[in-house]
Amino acid sequence: MIKINKFNTLLVSALCSSVLLGCVSNSQEQTQQQLSNKKPALFSKTEGVIPFDKEFRRKWGAAVVADVDQNGWEDVITTQHGTNVLIYWNEGGTFSAPSVLIKGDTHGLGISDYNGDGKMNIVVAQGGGNGGNPRRPVYFSVSKDRTIKRLGTFEHFQASRGRSIKFLDANKDAKLDLFATGFAPKNAKNLTTNQLYLNNGKAFVNSATLAIADDPLTMKAITTDVNNDGIVDVITFGGRSMTLSTGIGDGSFKDATNKVLGELANIKNVNNITEIDYDNDGDFDLFLVRSPYQFEKEAYYNADSKKLAFFTFNKDFMFDDIMIEGENLVIENIQETWATYDIQLGKKRTVIEASRSEHYTGGKLVIKPEDAQGWPEGEKLKGMHIGYLGNGKWRVGGYVKSRLSAIITNVVSKPTEIKRKPMPARLLENRDGKFVDVTTAMGIDIAEQTTSAAAGDFNNDGYVDLAISPYGNMSQPVEHFVLLNNKGKGFTKHANSGLMSEEVGATGVGVSTIDYDQDGRLDLIFGNERGRWYLAKNELSASEIGKFLTVTVPNSPKNNAQPVGARVTISACGMQQAQLVGASGDGFHQMLNTRMHFGLGQCEMAESVNVVWANGEKKSLKNVKAGTKVSM
């Protein structure tokens, strides 16, 4: 649930002439009428522009946006956890069928030309077989003709259950270094991988350990510039606390967690962090979405659709007996990370699904009462058990070692729900290199759990907005939403984002910005765990949206420094904006969108455009007209 506080209500009232704010009258009847007749959606879901698989699948982080083949159009990389990593090639505003980068249990990935040979490199963290098979990152090259070559595995890296991959220039030598995190293998108490590897031009060497949190679940990372000194810093998060390692500039880092974050470092269950200069003061603020990992049992009931959704992981489970409308029990969107046990029916434990592939995805069962009579007694239940108890009553329970979720349809009795507790998102303002919580002051009150956020100026007014993925209610579709930035003074939820998914049994997992057709309007890619990927087009008309310009950042002119970490600053109509190349709201992946998008409002030109690469090289342009697509 999102609430607008008194400050924001007054602000909305004062700005009711703007169609973007979805303003309403004081009449409750008129308000309800307006909500039932929503204004045109900010975004509309496309079909076929990107040929995304419509199967409901597991994910690993948000979609990665990068110009992989270097043809000037951003491509899209998606990770179907346990299945494959796919590259969708952008061919001038529409996308080809995907190429498979790698199959299997893959996690975070990063993209850059870290060896400077003119080909893009992709490094992929590999999973560790539930802790029993710790592995090392694998790396690829991608040529401009889209030829993909697997180059090998970083055998000298520490083995782990790979999680995050991030690139940064830690010693300002124009070569990108690599930071990797991992989750501890079985029987290990601490992280085995929270390592920075320096790039000597031939290999990643000289492994150094950055600040490690007490909680091994602190295994996600973001690179940003906390203190505005031009040196990239690293924040890790995901568990009971966060860490901050500030760069010195010679490849070394110091632990600045307490000095900079203070008590804010103890914010728990930060799922992702989005870098955003929301007030255009030149330093980077942080937006924290929060939700714990999927470890606990959950159950949700939707009385309108008569659907019961449940999730369980690595433990016994037994949900309330349920009454079913109709003769048969129908279970949909059955998903299990690895099928450790059978699905069995009734007192006789009749096996109906004994052969399922690892990382089992999707499924539907129609079960007749006569095939599932009674409930087993005595020995311990293993797998998912389904029993018919008579008079329309059914029971579902058992024991699994993996993650298991499903939807039961036509449920007419209301079972006990097991929902997630509220976990507010937080906005931390950067004030001279230290952070202050301004969530309430900026009118943000997001009570529900959230999983991902992407920063972008969706209405081109010169202030960066936020697109947010909620965790959601598994028994109904997930509605991703947008907070519009009120010129740095607060945020307002858009009345109709248009980002509603269709699948049930899924939870929000990631959102990314992309101007896929280069029309000057930022679009979105969003996806759901155990669901689908979507491409949503920005539908604001010319009268509703401001002017813009894009700045493409290539390698630096003198020392060939890579774009990752370059700071782009523009000045237009007395207002400054700043962005870092490679910034994103995903704690697992390193993205590489080198075409930076800036809204200008009604400004006709930017008086200056400045780029400072991570190695310190600089380049500037003067008097750049709105609508221009410049390359530095």
Side-chain angles (χ1 to χ4, degrees), residues 202-497:
K202 298 181 180 180
F204 292 113
V205 297
N206 300 328
S207 170
T209 302
L210 272 60
I212 296 179
D214 294 333
D215 185 357
L217 292 175
T218 300
M219 57 192 181
K220 297 185 177 183
I222 178 178
T223 56
T224 185
D225 186 0
V226 169
N227 47 17
N228 242 359
D229 62 356
I231 303 170
V232 174
D233 310 308
V234 178
I235 301 174
T236 64
F237 56 93
R240 293 190 298 269
S241 61
M242 298 183 287
T243 70
L244 169 61
S245 300
T246 52
I248 305 302
D250 59 359
S252 65
F253 287 76
K254 65 179 179 181
D255 187 345
T257 305
N258 293 330
K259 180 179 179 181
V260 175
L261 294 174
E263 289 300 318
L264 296 175
N266 297 319
I267 298 176
K268 298 179 180 179
N269 301 126
V270 176
N271 196 316
N272 277 304
I273 298 177
T274 303
E275 176 188 281
I276 174 175
D277 182 10
Y278 83 91
D279 49 3
N280 286 345
D281 66 351
D283 51 26
F284 297 112
D285 313 302
L286 303 175
F287 183 72
L288 281 55
V289 293
R290 300 174 63 216
S291 54
Y293 297 101
Q294 292 184 330
F295 292 158
E296 301 300 325
K297 185 165 59 177
E298 301 176 39
Y300 303 84
Y301 178 65
N302 187 327
D304 294 331
S305 64
K306 303 177 183 177
K307 291 184 177 181
L308 169 66
F310 69 85
F311 169 88
T312 187
F313 173 54
N314 199 28
K315 61 186 65 176
D316 295 315
F317 67 98
M318 186 71 67
F319 299 102
D320 289 352
D321 294 344
I322 52 177
M323 298 296 297
I324 296 296
E325 182 179 69
E327 180 181 2
N328 300 325
L329 180 77
V330 179
I331 305 182
E332 300 175 340
N333 197 10
I334 306 168
Q335 302 235 12
E336 191 172 2
T337 49
W338 60 88
T340 50
Y341 298 113
D342 305 326
I343 298 178
Q344 302 178 22
L345 301 184
K347 186 175 183 178
K348 295 182 179 180
R349 299 175 180 259
T350 304
V351 175
I352 58 169
E353 287 203 11
S355 177
R356 288 171 285 159
S357 62
E358 186 177 3
H359 299 289
Y360 178 70
T361 299
K364 178 178 179 179
L365 294 175
V366 178
I367 303 169
K368 298 178 180 180
E370 58 266 31
D371 295 332
Q373 292 289 328
W375 190 255
E377 298 177 358
E379 60 184 288
K380 183 177 180 179
L381 299 176
K382 291 183 179 180
M384 180 165 68
H385 290 254
I386 302 167
Y388 179 65
L389 308 181
N391 298 319
K393 182 181 291 188
W394 294 77
R395 179 178 296 168
V396 177
Y399 170 78
V400 290
K401 290 184 178 180
S402 59
R403 287 177 173 83
L404 171 68
S405 66
I407 299 293
I408 304 175
T409 67
N410 297 323
V411 178
V412 293
S413 61
K414 182 178 180 180
T416 300
E417 294 186 283
I418 309 171
K419 294 183 177 181
R420 289 189 163 208
K421 298 178 180 179
M423 193 166 290
R426 308 279 285 272
L427 177 62
L428 308 184
E429 182 182 333
N430 190 334
R431 295 181 182 174
D432 298 323
K434 295 186 178 181
F435 290 96
V436 177
D437 190 331
V438 295
T439 309
T440 301
M442 291 299 105
I444 299 173
D445 188 357
I446 305 174
E448 66 187 292
Q449 294 187 15
T450 45
T451 62
S452 178
D457 189 352
F458 303 122
N459 54 11
N460 286 347
D461 67 349
Y463 288 87
V464 180
D465 312 302
L466 288 164
I468 300 172
S469 293
Y471 183 85
N473 179 324
M474 288 174 55
S475 68
Q476 58 193 34
V478 180
E479 182 176 9
H480 305 246
F481 55 90
V482 173
L483 297 184
L484 291 174
N485 188 337
N486 301 318
K487 300 186 183 304
K489 305 299 183 183
F491 287 85
T492 303
K493 184 187 179 186
H494 191 277
N496 184 13
S497 71

